[in-house]
Amino acid sequence: MSLDTVLARIDADLPAATDRLLDLLRIPSISTDPAFKKDCDAAADWLVRDLASFGVTARKCPTPGHPMVMGHIDGDGPHLLFYGHYDVQPVDPLNLWDRDPFDPAVEETAKGTVIRGRGAVDDKGQLMTFVEACRAWTAVNGTLPCKITFFFEGEEESGSPSLVPFMEEHKDALSADLALICDTTLFESKTPAIVTMLRGLLGEEMTITGPDRDLHSGMYGGVAMNPIRVLTRVLAALHDDEGHITIPGFYDGVPELPDTLRDQWAGLNFDHKTFLGDVGLGTPAGESDRGPLEMIWSRPTCEINGIWGGYTGDGFKTVLPSEAHAKISFRLVGDQDPHAIRKSFRKMVEDMLPPDCDVTWKGHGNSQAGSFETDDPMFEAARAALTEEWNVPAAYIGCGGSIPIAGHFAKITDTKPMLVGFGKDDDGMHSPNEKYDMSSFHHGIRSWARILDALIRRDGA
Amino acid sequence: MSLDTVLARIDADLPAATDRLLDLLRIPSISTDPAFKKDCDAAADWLVRDLASFGVTARKCPTPGHPMVMGHIDGDGPHLLFYGHYDVQPVDPLNLWDRDPFDPAVEETAKGTVIRGRGAVDDKGQLMTFVEACRAWTAVNGTLPCKITFFFEGEEESGSPSLVPFMEEHKDALSADLALICDTTLFESKTPAIVTMLRGLLGEEMTITGPDRDLHSGMYGGVAMNPIRVLTRVLAALHDDEGHITIPGFYDGVPELPDTLRDQWAGLNFDHKTFLGDVGLGTPAGESDRGPLEMIWSRPTCEINGIWGGYTGDGFKTVLPSEAHAKISFRLVGDQDPHAIRKSFRKMVEDMLPPDCDVTWKGHGNSQAGSFETDDPMFEAARAALTEEWNVPAAYIGCGGSIPIAGHFAKITDTKPMLVGFGKDDDGMHSPNEKYDMSSFHHGIRSWARILDALIRRDGA
């Protein structure tokens, strides 16, 4: 039967698809917090049941952390793999949410209909766009158009500790012609896009220790070293006045943007005033000698994601704390080596410590940046399908985020990754009041149906 | 009857006095946290009942905040006033306490018997040394030896917002020949001391705001200004490499130590290696051109007492927060003007803010430093009494802490303050596992009996 019948089926089934997504969003599968371990497990079970309901052979696969979900359906033509993650970010600060993050709902807003709740866009809503496209396809055609493997992870938001060992162990099952990944956004919330450049990520948590107990600043203030003071000095030294990162060797392996890509990006007419204005800002804050799109897509960063120490409650307490803490992350590009940067960063901090202070470290996930070839004709086929659905020419773009799985597919299973996503800049990914536009969900499902159709037609051609 | 009879009575009554103190320590009268308002009230009621039990006319006096307790007993001779505070510091981090902070107990330790619990030294235990001395005196003599006013506050740990208006309103009742204050320590935990120099205190809470919501560092990292980065830059700029404070005009009104006092302090042979070594430190961290005792007693400080922003939970979250916060306090000396310093500090921070960032302020209590004359013969009488009790010559010393009430007595009620306390450096004032040595409690009670006796004998002579 024709693609049009599948698209019509998707349109008719949208209310039921929305209900299914809301059901999945009700499970608080926060992977980074051990208190939600059971909920991660429940989300995996939910997905196994859902895949099975339209004929996919699916199972939950244990790991030392949260389980993976693997599903498979046989067929002719190319072997496609689809990856998504069912775990979500923590929800604090909870007081900034307008509703319970795990009591999701469809809301009418000034900008249109949205699905509100933690995980709506990242990544449950995006994951379900592909699942719903497959469900509609089987409803119309009795089966899927080609061999498809579903691969869902539950640790993406907590550094994916089990991912690489699991992929190495299941290398054969996870090898395919193309790995579709739905965890990215449209370009500027309106242009469909295939991401071909991703930044890497390195996370560090540091604790500066000083006195062996909290002290009273009346008795010790001035004479005892305060770990918060040391921490602020160390962190303030990470950037110079022009926004460059000062860690020795940090820029090793950072490439200059090729002229062709620079021209292509210039052609996108990125409007940084709107991009920043949407979140109450106006001035690009990165390296003063770089453009805003370059800052996001192709320059490395160093950000303090969390800081805490001393008395943080109501009122005042004149304490000199015995410890101060920070979480720092680096976005990496090109050939920057996360291990070398970790080492250099730690040495820089250790060299700055005054007498009486010490530092302890906790390393969080690290991944190199990725840049993906688009010379396989499947990319042009998919881009044409996206252009068709959205009625705007689809673009090859960079992405400031880090999606290590894309690199793993290339390296471990020799599978080309293709990143297509339908999030918007104002979705509040990782923030309070996360949402996914109903139009993203609807056109996302339809986009996958068109891409499936385009890939098998191209393959069969 | 003789002083010896009173001292014998104190010795015999020590177990009962300890039980009374434990009873008062069970009341969680944390003044800075509104959740404990009822408990502050209960502590005031407890004190009214206890004073009344040995013949003092006592009452609870409402204020816009926590109540004051006033007690009075008439008599001949000098009019003495005694000040203490019944409120206590918050208890976090609770996990560092070895017992419930409000389930106090007498414990045997390697260094002797201690009373353990929040408020044991600051200030419930110290306050009760005077109350117990008066109780023993009336038990032996039927009444007190002179006119005595008791004045207990419940907001000392939260900046005393009601204190000055209350003192002005009750100026007559609070005017006396001498105001005894028991909220200080022995010198180096062993030498009885009268404090004649106190640092002032200025507290500031700042919130740096940037984007109007929390952002995902993948999407915005590098291009959006991170308020934590701004906060660390601002705070790191408050000290130069030699430990001097860089706020313009900060040192205006800071006097050089008079040679006589410098010589006297040198004679105390302060052992900073032991003082710092007791808390796991070794190197004086203040202005590099000042001695350690000077740093604590007569130099101003700037300390970060708390800092927080972004994700501080388990695991990692690559968030760019919309806000970052810090609590900063300054210890002031000489004629430093807290209002001028607040203004200059705020201006310095505001001048450092990059585009897109703003700062909001919350001022906490402020008090000027104090320095008190000791030429009244009552001081020498009290010093002789302390020397007698402790068998070590009592000293006139400075104190790094801030006890604004001392200045208020001098200014508002024209009453000379005399600061005598029995805390020790290792009491954990404002820290987990706060304690008061049983020997401090016992000899503290006996010290007040001796001081009362010395003051009336001197007056009658």
Side-chain angles (χ1 to χ4, degrees), chain B residues 97-120:
Chain B
W97 283 81
D98 294 331
R99 63 179 302 122
D100 178 344
F102 296 110
D103 176 24
V106 174
E107 292 178 2
E108 300 305 324
T109 77
K111 290 179 170 182
T113 310
V114 306
I115 301 160
R116 180 91 60 193
R118 175 53 93 219

Side-chain angles (χ1 to χ4, degrees), chain B residues 59-87:
Chain B
R59 67 197 172 95
K60 191 169 72 172
C61 305
T63 77
H66 303 301
M68 307 283 178
V69 171
M70 299 258 287
H72 193 74
I73 201 155
D74 251 327
D76 300 325
H79 178 194
L80 302 180
L81 186 145
F82 177 83
Y83 165 90
H85 64 91
Y86 64 78
D87 63 320

Side-chain angles (χ1 to χ4, degrees), chain A residues 320-385:
Chain A
L320 297 188
S322 75
E323 297 184 344
H325 316 260
K327 294 183 199 265
I328 300 114
S329 67
F330 303 90
R331 297 278 170 183
L332 307 179
V333 303
D335 292 324
Q336 277 183 299
D337 175 356
H339 301 287
I341 290 173
R342 195 192 290 281
K343 202 172 153 191
S344 180
F345 169 59
R346 291 185 177 187
K347 182 173 186 310
M348 173 177 168
V349 171
E350 284 156 8
D351 287 350
M352 285 184 71
L353 294 181
D356 290 340
C357 282
D358 224 327
V359 61
T360 55
W361 297 100
K362 195 174 191 174
H364 290 272
N366 67 82
S367 64
Q368 262 193 291
S371 164
F372 312 108
E373 300 300 330
T374 56
D375 46 5
D376 189 303
M378 290 194 286
F379 280 81
E380 272 307 304
R383 197 159 81 94

Side-chain angles (χ1 to χ4, degrees), chain A residues 213-214 233 241 315 327 431, chain B residues 214 233 241 278 315 327 431:
Chain A
R213 74 201 72 173
D214 284 1
R233 279 178 83 85
D241 290 343
K327 294 183 199 265
S431 295
Chain B
D214 284 3
R233 278 178 84 85
D241 290 342
D278 279 348
K327 293 181 199 266
S431 295

